[in-house]
Amino acid sequence: MSMRIGLIYHSFPPQKTMTGVATYALELARGLGGAGHEVHVIAEPAAGQELSLPGVTVHRLAPSFAAGPANTVLRKAWGRIAAPLLHRADPSLVAMMRWAMSVRDVIAPLDLDVAEGPDFVGGGLAATQLNIPLVVRMHCPWVIFARSNRIGPRLVDRAVDWLERWVTARAEVVTCPSRAMARVLRGWKTRHEPLVIPNFIEVPQAP
């Protein structure tokens, strides 16, 4: 049965530097589109020619600094108080949070059957807002990334950690690339036990 699937990934090629998350998203989109599904990728703008992938449509969305919660009161509090304070601590991280908040308007008219987003900075937030069944792929929670790179703890780090946990708790399915990552989730609230699904990549026939 063909499905309409949304992949909400901040990073997606072409782009100047290929991250592991972007590589994963590319392989997932390629595989799902090749299997006959209608795939919609929502990602940030990237320089270069868009890849031609069967069954895949890419929607490019710039970070919206005007975006915020749907509730008017919360939107004002976010825009006038919270966002400026967090922005001063880490502009790029807050830009990713605002990007996640602005995805809603893009996926609302797509009538998706299911969506997937990374744990990173609550990428799947828009799906929870629209009651679209969500799969969260655990790549590396911000709390681990920050600790490994000796960042923080700052207020913005706590905000991102809260957002990631909030979105993950509302996902229908949570997947992990390893048993080690699944163990990290033991202290997180999830609807079901995380599924361990190793990362995948299309290996060329020749070197």
Side-chain angles (χ1 to χ4, degrees), residues 141-186:
W142 178 255
V143 66
I144 295 179
F145 180 88
R147 186 186 306 139
S148 300
N149 290 277
R150 299 180 181 179
I151 301 172
R154 306 163 298 178
L155 179 60
V156 67
D157 302 315
R158 298 181 187 278
V160 171
D161 181 44
W162 177 87
L163 178 61
E164 290 179 348
R165 291 172 183 266
W166 191 90
V167 173
T168 301
R170 284 154 181 77
E172 296 292 335
V173 178
V174 178
T175 68
C176 303
S178 66
R179 290 189 293 271
M181 185 61 74
R183 286 195 294 271
V184 170
L185 281 174
R186 286 176 180 171

Side-chain angles (χ1 to χ4, degrees), residues 25-43:
L26 171 62
E27 295 299 329
L28 181 59
R30 193 200 310 271
L32 291 173
H37 298 290
E38 180 183 334
V39 181
H40 294 269
V41 177
I42 299 88

Side-chain angles (χ1 to χ4, degrees), residues 12-14 26 29-30 33-34 48-58 60:
F12 192 83
L26 171 62
R30 193 200 310 271
Q49 185 175 357
E50 204 71 73
L51 300 179
S52 178
L53 302 172
V56 179
T57 301
V58 181
R60 296 290 178 178

Side-chain angles (χ1 to χ4, degrees), residues 88-165:
R88 283 196 288 271
D90 194 323
S92 61
L93 193 56
V94 174
M96 292 181 66
M97 293 174 67
R98 286 172 160 162
W99 183 86
M101 293 176 181
S102 62
V103 169
R104 174 177 177 153
D105 292 339
V106 176
I107 67 172
L110 296 179
D111 193 25
L112 298 175
D113 295 311
V114 65
E116 177 177 303
D119 58 318
F120 198 69
V121 196
L125 173 65
T128 68
Q129 294 173 322
L130 297 168
N131 294 319
I132 298 171
L134 174 66
V135 177
V136 166
R137 177 66 170 182
M138 300 298 293
H139 293 278
C140 180
W142 178 255
V143 66
I144 295 179
F145 180 88
R147 186 186 306 139
S148 300
N149 290 277
R150 299 180 181 179
I151 301 172
R154 306 163 298 178
L155 179 60
V156 67
D157 302 315
R158 298 181 187 278
V160 171
D161 181 44
W162 177 87
L163 178 61
E164 290 179 348
R165 291 172 183 266

Side-chain angles (χ1 to χ4, degrees), residues 180-199:
M181 185 61 74
R183 286 195 294 271
V184 170
L185 281 174
R186 286 176 180 171
W188 290 43
K189 180 182 178 182
T190 58
R191 291 187 177 183
H192 308 286
E193 285 291 319
L195 300 177
V196 177
I197 302 176
N199 284 330

Side-chain angles (χ1 to χ4, degrees), residues 65-69 72-86 88 98:
F65 282 82
T72 302
V73 175
L74 292 178
R75 183 185 293 270
K76 289 180 179 179
W78 165 264
R80 296 178 183 177
I81 302 173
L85 288 173
L86 299 178
R88 283 196 288 271
R98 286 172 160 162

